[in-house]
Amino acid sequence: SQRSDDPAVQTSSNSQQRSSSTHSSVKKKGVKDFELGKTLGEGSYSTVVAARDRTTGREYAIKILDKKHIIKEKKVKYVNIEKNTLNKMNHPGIVRLYFTFQDHNSLCILLYHAKNGELLTFIKKLGSFDLNCTRYYTSQILAAIEYMHDQGVIHRDLKPENILLDEKMHIKVTDFGTAKILGKNVAGETDDRANSFVGTAEYVSPELLKEKAACKSSDFWALGCILYQLIAGRPPFKGGNEYMTFQKIVHLDYTFPEGFPPVAKDLVKKLLVLNPAERLGAGGKEGVKQLKSHPFFDGVRWDTLWQQPAPRLL
Ligand code: ATP
């Protein structure tokens, strides 16, 4: 028998919804309809593999989750959050969910395959990005945040590992497992995660550490951390352990390396502000407008951001 929190419960309606809206296939697809390729990565509860639709030849990434393991570890809710938030998203800067299906043992999420992998890999490889590349990637991340916030979704775990790159080297934000839908969570229940730590130590906002509450502005804190990291090559707050990292965050204990471009420094300082209400970008549409008008973004063509070729990474 099926538990009410079994991922199975929400799967079929989702897949039907997606397949009718995006793919004209009448028959519901299963894992057998795909030729599986190489493993793209492993998560704590999932394996992501490259896949090709045997009929259309289209390429995807399939995230395969072991149902028993998810239920045992009480992660059903998070899987549903990821599935339901991603299912709402339709934006060039966010990984697309096409549909979900399952068999007896696993739940499969068919995703856009971001062929160039994680932004983190490129930061590590290059050490850091120049100002022009940093501006380009920061703009794309900001545009994706603006979109998800407009949809009422806070990501809460933005970091270079969760920012994937497609073959054009444009970003695709992923990992919505810790996202939050404003007002209520996607299952329509009161969110009970406010008291538990979500996110990654280095990018977590001070309000989450102190108030145990994240807001839209928390994603702008993470944006400030990522912008800093693209230029400095390392995140602004990093202690010897999680506790020490948290101490640095709540005391705003960070410094800029020499040669950090002043215009980027000014933006980082306005994003890494302890009070979320005073952070640049806070305050709804007007706040985002102000953030996008910061001199760091001078020259950015927001209207054609996704048509422009990515700058060569330097
Ligand atoms: P955890 O669940 O432990 O937080 P995770 O979120 O990284 O880890 P997955 O979502 O299963 O776990 O992803 C595993 C890896 O697969 C990722 O690190 C990423 O590099 C790769 N990956 C995930 N989705 C895609 C995708 N759509 N395209 C290309 N690579 C992907």
Side-chain angles (χ1 to χ4, degrees), residues 4-125:
S4 64
D5 58 352
D6 188 309
V9 176
Q10 295 188 29
T11 308
S12 48
S13 65
N14 263 328
S15 58
Q16 273 161 11
Q17 188 190 326
R18 266 296 180 190
S19 51
S20 59
S21 63
T22 60
H23 290 241
S24 51
S25 55
V26 185
K27 207 173 101 257
K28 224 165 92 188
K29 287 200 191 287
V31 75
K32 286 189 199 70
D33 296 301
F34 297 90
E35 186 188 311
L36 301 184
K38 67 169 183 179
T39 299
L40 302 171
E42 307 254 2
S44 328
Y45 305 96
S46 49
T47 303
V48 179
V49 295
R52 182 194 294 270
D53 186 319
R54 292 185 199 275
T55 330
T56 65
R58 285 199 193 122
E59 293 185 80
Y60 299 93
I62 300 188
K63 182 161 172 166
I64 304 168
L65 301 112
D66 177 54
K67 289 203 273 192
K68 272 206 204 88
H69 186 49
I70 292 165
I71 292 166
K72 195 167 133 247
E73 299 293 319
K74 300 193 165 36
K75 300 292 171 192
V76 173
K77 191 168 153 183
Y78 302 99
V79 172
N80 280 328
I81 287 171
E82 172 166 33
K83 203 155 54 64
N84 295 341
T85 44
L86 265 187
N87 206 19
K88 274 166 67 100
M89 302 289 157
N90 183 7
H91 187 269
I94 298 172
V95 161
R96 183 73 187 262
L97 182 155
Y98 295 96
F99 50 84
T100 57
F101 49 84
Q102 58 184 309
D103 59 23
H104 185 68
N105 298 317
S106 26
L107 172 67
C108 299
I109 306 179
L110 196 72
L111 299 166
Y112 175 90
H113 181 182
K115 295 235 173 92
N116 275 311
E118 299 173 9
L119 179 62
L120 182 67
T121 312
F122 289 88
I123 303 175
K124 282 184 177 163
K125 204 153 63 185

Side-chain angles (χ1 to χ4, degrees), residues 275-295:
N275 181 347
E278 288 170 12
R279 206 167 289 152
L280 193 55
K285 288 215 178 303
E286 191 47 42
V288 177
K289 211 169 129 193
Q290 282 171 16
L291 172 51
K292 289 167 93 174
S293 313
H294 186 279

